[in-house]
Amino acid sequence: MTDIINSISALLWGQVLVYLLIAAGLFFTFRLGFIQFVQFPHMFKVMFSSRKCADNEISSFQAFCTSLAARVGTGNMAGVAVALYLGGPGAIFWMWLIALIGMATSFAESTLAQAYKTKDADGNFRGGPAYYMQNGLGKRWMGTLFSLCLILAFGLVFNAVQSNSIAAAFEVAFDVPKYIVGICLVIGSGIIIFGGLKTISRFAEMVVPFMALAYLLVALYVCAINFTALPDVIVLIIKSAFGIEQAGAGAIGYGVTQAMIQGIKRGLFSNEAGMGSAANAAATATPYPPHPASQGYVQMLGVFIDTIVICTATASLILLSQQLVPESGVMGIELTQAALQEHVGDWGTYFIAIAILFFAFTSIVANYSYAETNLMFLEHNSNKGMFIFRLVVLGMVMFGAVGELGLIWTLADISMGLMAIVNVIALFMLSGVVVWLSKDYNEQRKKGLIPTFDKSKHPKLAKEVDPEAWK
């Protein structure tokens, strides 16, 4: 069974997704006029006003923190280490590339999620790829397929990945048995998950900025004390990405193809651009400016922070150490712990354990919120059904804590890949709507106006959006 799962993953990533994701990123980069570069300062400007909303609504900043909570987790600390071990230093270059072009893809999916969002019975906004597939394309079957893939990936498999990394880190740092860590995670996750969507958003808003800043400060300190070695690390990453033979005893030989596949695979797992997951969080916001494209800018910034900033911090910790040894078997969160311990001493192991607890725990509750939204799309949102689903999610958290790493990662890769394929196809089909919304937003900015979504300007779109969501 393990061999079959590995073969499926290799086929999916080696022959399909690498090219599909790069094509999608380049397509939207060109169609949107290199928006991630030309409008780079505007992402921060929108973020500064993203806390504006009524007391009973979810702000753009809260939605951003929820999506960042899902993005910033195991992928940033364990995933980067896995990419380096399996693909070599060159994998980091491909992580950067897929993030830079993926920012345009993220803008597209988040803008569409905002445009086609709906309001549920509790007054919460819900949306995401399943909703724009149904309402924008008129293909509910496509939305159903995506929802099933997302529920499998985020509701079940990814949560097992997160708890696996937490348990492994705590076992190394504090010698705590994995099953004890699993029980504690189940209890903590259950308290927040059963609190509902707004509880998850408020929790993410409090925890995410703190944990990201603390981790970055430690990484910056390590870079500062190894400042003279940084140029060599950058050269190593670039040369390894293209298979240029390294000079010196520290050379690590990896194939270009393997570096590309691992970099793109782990990059997508971390920043989720094109996967359609973060779009579920984007749809929950009451955006400011009140236009779907404003949330596209906010989520585009999330991809930049996740991969270009935080993943690079982890890569620096590892590559500035001597811990990356081929065929040593030391990979994942253990490699990140060993690297920081080399730089700062024993407290580095403990710091990584605490950091991954915050990173991965917030990912668990954010991942659940995505799954819940898609469960509601499938109209399986009865109180009894939701209660059972929450128990299954918590069961996967426990399974991940005591399960085997390799198989769990491979299952995550497959489910993530299926999601991305369905979502990218829908994005291509709705690209005209994305371009129109982007132009409408920026034309209003040029006139000195606060961009506001007036659906009457686009009669076809006016018939497709929820009138309660966009009055």
Side-chain angles (χ1 to χ4, degrees):
M1 180 60 71
T2 301
D3 291 340
I4 293 173
I5 291 172
N6 288 334
S7 298
I8 294 172
S9 178
L11 176 65
L12 194 61
W13 282 97
Q15 304 299 324
V16 180
L17 275 167
V18 168
Y19 307 104
L20 182 64
L21 290 168
I22 292 177
L26 292 173
F27 175 81
F28 282 105
T29 294
F30 282 102
R31 284 218 65 182
L32 295 171
F34 294 86
I35 190 170
Q36 65 270 54
F37 305 110
V38 175
Q39 303 291 350
F40 186 80
H42 187 64
M43 295 189 300
F44 295 91
K45 185 176 180 180
V46 176
M47 177 58 68
F48 291 146
S49 61
S50 64
R51 299 181 74 106
K52 295 182 180 181
C53 73
D55 290 339
N56 62 339
E57 297 173 335
I58 294 175
S59 68
S60 288
F61 183 72
Q62 288 176 320
F64 168 78
C65 288
T66 301
S67 65
L68 202 60
R71 285 187 175 114
V72 179
T74 298
N76 299 81
M77 302 180 75
V80 171
V82 170
L84 284 169
Y85 183 82
L86 298 178
I92 304 305
F93 174 86
W94 297 107
M95 288 185 76
W96 291 340
L97 180 64
I98 198 63
L100 288 174
I101 64 174
M103 288 169 70
T105 312
S106 181
F107 176 90
E109 62 190 2
S110 298
T111 298
L112 287 174
Q114 262 291 315
Y116 291 104
K117 67 185 180 182
T118 62
K119 184 173 283 189
D120 65 19
D122 297 324
N124 298 315
F125 289 125
R126 302 274 184 176
Y131 293 79
Y132 56 68
M133 290 168 191
Q134 173 181 268
N135 301 329
L137 295 175
K139 301 183 185 298
R140 181 170 174 81
W141 67 266
M142 196 175 187
T144 299
L145 177 60
F146 177 86
S147 291
L148 291 173
C149 290
L150 185 142
I151 290 169
L152 172 64
F154 281 80
L156 304 177
V157 179
F158 281 8
N159 282 339
V161 170
Q162 305 295 345
S163 61
N164 184 279
S165 290
I166 296 173
F170 268 69
E171 186 176 53
V172 171
F174 304 109
D175 199 27
V176 178
K178 290 183 177 180
Y179 75 92
I180 297 294
V181 177
I183 292 172
C184 294
L185 289 175
V186 167
I187 294 172
S189 302
I191 292 171
I192 298 171
I193 285 173
F194 279 92
L197 187 62
K198 290 179 180 176
T199 301
I200 292 172
S201 298
R202 288 192 293 267
F203 176 76
E205 182 183 27
M206 290 187 296
V207 175
V208 169
F210 164 76
M211 69 181 190
L213 181 61
Y215 186 65
L216 287 176
L217 288 174
V218 171
L220 286 173
Y221 169 74
V222 172
C223 289
I225 63 177
N226 294 278
F227 182 75
T228 56
L230 279 176
D232 292 334
V233 168
I234 295 172
V235 170
L236 176 64
I237 289 172
I238 295 173
K239 284 187 174 181
S240 298
F242 298 99
I244 300 174
E245 185 177 357
Q246 301 298 312
I252 304 174
Y254 295 86
V256 176
T257 302
Q258 187 68 5
M260 181 186 296
I261 291 174
Q262 288 299 324
I264 292 176
K265 185 191 298 185
R266 297 276 73 86
L268 175 64
F269 181 88
S270 180
N271 65 54
E272 303 175 16
M275 199 191 307
S277 49
N280 290 270
T284 66
T286 301
Y288 188 86
H291 192 287
S294 66
Q295 187 58 209
Y297 282 105
V298 169
Q299 295 300 328
M300 192 162 60
L301 179 60
V303 174
F304 178 84
I305 292 174
D306 172 87
T307 306
I308 305 300
V309 178
I310 300 179
C311 285
T312 301
T314 300
S316 299
L317 293 178
I318 295 172
L319 292 176
L320 286 169
S321 74
Q322 302 297 317
Q323 299 301 317
L324 183 60
V325 180
E327 301 180 2
S328 66
V330 179
M331 58 188 293
I333 196 65
E334 293 91 343
L335 176 56
T336 308
Q337 284 181 300
L340 187 57
Q341 184 180 23
E342 178 182 320
H343 293 301
V344 301
D346 290 342
W347 72 265
T349 301
Y350 308 136
F351 176 81
I352 292 296
I354 299 300
I356 196 65
L357 172 64
F358 282 106
F359 277 104
F361 182 74
T362 53
S363 292
I364 289 172
V365 295
N367 289 349
Y368 166 77
S369 73
Y370 295 171
E372 182 183 280
T373 291
N374 284 268
L375 196 66
M376 295 185 73
F377 175 83
L378 297 176
E379 300 178 354
H380 291 290
N381 57 329
S382 65
N383 290 335
K384 182 179 179 181
M386 196 65 73
F387 180 81
I388 293 173
F389 178 68
R390 287 168 176 168
L391 292 180
V392 173
V393 170
L394 295 176
M396 285 299 293
V397 171
M398 187 67 204
F399 166 74
V402 298
E404 194 270 324
L405 178 63
L407 180 60
I408 292 173
W409 273 107
T410 306
L411 287 171
D413 290 338
I414 292 173
S415 54
M416 174 176 63
L418 294 174
M419 276 179 56
I421 290 173
V422 178
N423 183 53
V424 169
I425 291 172
L427 291 178
F428 282 134
M429 297 173 73
L430 287 168
S431 60
V433 177
V434 177
V435 172
W436 184 86
L437 288 168
S438 177
K439 286 182 177 179
D440 180 60
Y441 180 91
N442 287 306
E443 284 173 359
Q444 292 185 60
R445 283 181 57 213
K446 290 177 182 178
K447 294 176 181 178
L449 303 173
I450 296 175
T452 303
F453 180 44
D454 181 359
K455 58 182 181 289
S456 65
K457 294 180 182 178
H458 197 304
K460 182 178 182 297
L461 187 59
K463 296 177 182 178
E464 296 168 346
V465 301
D466 183 354
E468 287 298 313
W470 291 105
K471 293 184 179 179

